[in-house]
Amino acid sequence: MMLKNDLFLRAARGEATERTPVWLMRQAGRILPEYRALRARLSGFKELVETPELAAEVTIQPIDALDVDAAIIFSDILVVPDAMGLPYEMVEARGPLFPEVIKSAADVDKLRIPEPEEGLGYVLEALRITKKALNGRVPLIGFAGAPFTILAYMVEGHGSKTFSKARAMLYREPALAHRLLEKITLTTIAYLQAQVTAGAQVVQVFDSWAGILPPAQYTEFSARYIARICEALAPLVPVTVFAKGAWWAVPEFAAMPCRTIGLDWNQDAAQVRAQAGDKTLQGNLDPCALYGTPEQVKTATEAMLRQFAGGPHIANLGHGVYPDTNPDNVRVFVETVKAWRG
Ligand SMILES: Cc1c2[nH]c(c1CCC(=O)O)Cc1[nH]c(c(CCC(=O)O)c1C)Cc1[nH]c(c(CCC(=O)O)c1C)Cc1[nH]c(c(C)c1CCC(=O)O)C2
């Protein structure tokens, strides 16, 4: 299948493009009224994620509604622990909850390293359906959480400002943490490889909680596992690493075979460019900039684009779009990027 719009894929390979491609993290979701309407008819988030036809429909909604240059498969990073034998629930208006958490070596031993088609077949089927339905309109992104971020949820049991239970494990039982990270890493590599087979053309690794670790611990408990994922996937597709809050780790990511480094809104594009060699950079408009007037959104987007001049860039936000963002302002963001000739 020939791509009609391959700007994102070319930029993700580091090739020159006529204009900067644009998509948004969390573009498929609650900002869109058509998502909320579909979601309201279902028992919950999990039903949507686990029903491939519906997940595919929601994946394509932002391509129609926002005219972005890439689709990201509608799923969640927490499907991985679920498939390993630690199920999550998505509590309305609160977020993820694991009724059972990982506390001991026996808990880690019980976890499976599932065959992707068995444990995560519903995501792979959603990718296949989406790929067909997209009909080459835009490239399709697959994703997974970084092993440390997954460990954080599996040990803590829910979102947290501090993740102190998870962080305590790194200090008190580092060998146990490594055994858990090893199992998550093996599961994630097989899962991402299967996503590529099912149609993903780029994969992104989300290390959403990277920023809670001190740099030396980050290297030991997170970056080295991300490096293994990059090494396994880079021969297949371009890999993007997005590690929120881990600005100090850019030189480490630059040394990995990932192709793109995602920036959050606290990072300075010129500084990252200087540290990241020929990598493509992705980001990094502050999601809160989309609360401005349309004129303010345009000005902020152009200022962001100027900062990324001088190397390959994929425009995005510095984190997922917030659910109460006005989709009209998202369209202003997208149109401003598309009109830009920097
Ligand atoms: C940390 C994390 C999670 N999930 C994800 C991350 C990494 C990215 C990040 O840092 O934001 C990844 C994710 N989750 C979702 C996507 C969809 C694809 C996309 O459009 O980007 C992606 C890429 C759907 C979702 N995942 C979730 C929703 C909302 C649930 C709903 O519709 O009721 C969606 C659309 C739920 C979720 N899932 C998670 C949390 C903390 C929550 C609750 C907070 C929230 O509501 O945003 C875990």
Side-chain angles (χ1 to χ4, degrees), residues 25 49 82 198 225 293:
M25 291 186 277
V49 165
D82 200 279
Y225 295 97
T293 63

Side-chain angles (χ1 to χ4, degrees), residues 23-30 35 39 45 48 72-78 90 92 94-96 143 149 153 206 208-209 242 244 319-320 323:
W23 68 283
L24 291 85
M25 291 186 277
R26 299 291 197 99
Q27 64 191 15
R30 288 162 300 178
Y35 171 86
R39 175 80 170 69
F45 177 75
L48 181 49
I72 179 162
I73 191 66
F74 186 82
S75 187
D76 201 88
I77 62 169
L78 302 178
M90 200 57 80
E92 216 58 50
R94 298 226 26 211
F143 72 89
T149 284
Y153 283 106
F206 286 91
S208 303
W209 296 106
F242 172 70
K244 190 171 180 305
H319 198 192

Side-chain angles (χ1 to χ4, degrees), residues 73-212:
I73 191 66
F74 186 82
S75 187
D76 201 88
I77 62 169
L78 302 178
V79 300
V80 164
D82 200 279
M84 293 176 75
L86 201 74
Y88 72 95
E89 295 167 7
M90 200 57 80
V91 183
E92 216 58 50
R94 298 226 26 211
L97 176 74
F98 286 89
E100 311 275 349
V101 294
I102 301 296
K103 292 201 189 89
S104 66
D107 295 338
V108 174
D109 290 340
K110 269 191 288 179
L111 293 170
R112 291 188 290 273
I113 299 170
E115 287 298 327
E117 286 288 354
E118 274 168 41
L120 292 154
Y122 57 91
V123 183
L124 303 174
E125 182 61 11
L127 281 158
R128 288 187 285 263
I129 296 170
T130 303
K131 190 71 177 290
K132 213 167 159 208
L134 277 173
N135 196 25
R137 282 171 74 188
V138 291
L140 180 56
I141 305 169
F143 72 89
F148 170 69
T149 284
I150 298 300
L151 172 149
Y153 283 106
M154 291 174 90
V155 174
E156 198 76 24
H158 46 76
S160 160
K161 279 209 177 79
T162 58
F163 280 93
S164 45
K165 289 196 192 79
R167 294 194 55 208
M169 182 190 273
L170 308 189
Y171 285 99
R172 294 166 67 108
E173 294 187 87
L176 181 62
H178 280 301
R179 277 176 54 203
L180 177 52
L181 289 164
E182 181 69 27
K183 280 190 145 176
I184 300 168
T185 300
L186 293 174
T187 302
T188 302
I189 287 173
Y191 175 45
L192 287 173
Q193 288 170 334
Q195 288 191 38
V196 173
T197 305
Q201 289 152 297
V202 168
V203 295
Q204 176 157 330
V205 178
F206 286 91
D207 204 357
S208 303
W209 296 106
I212 62 177

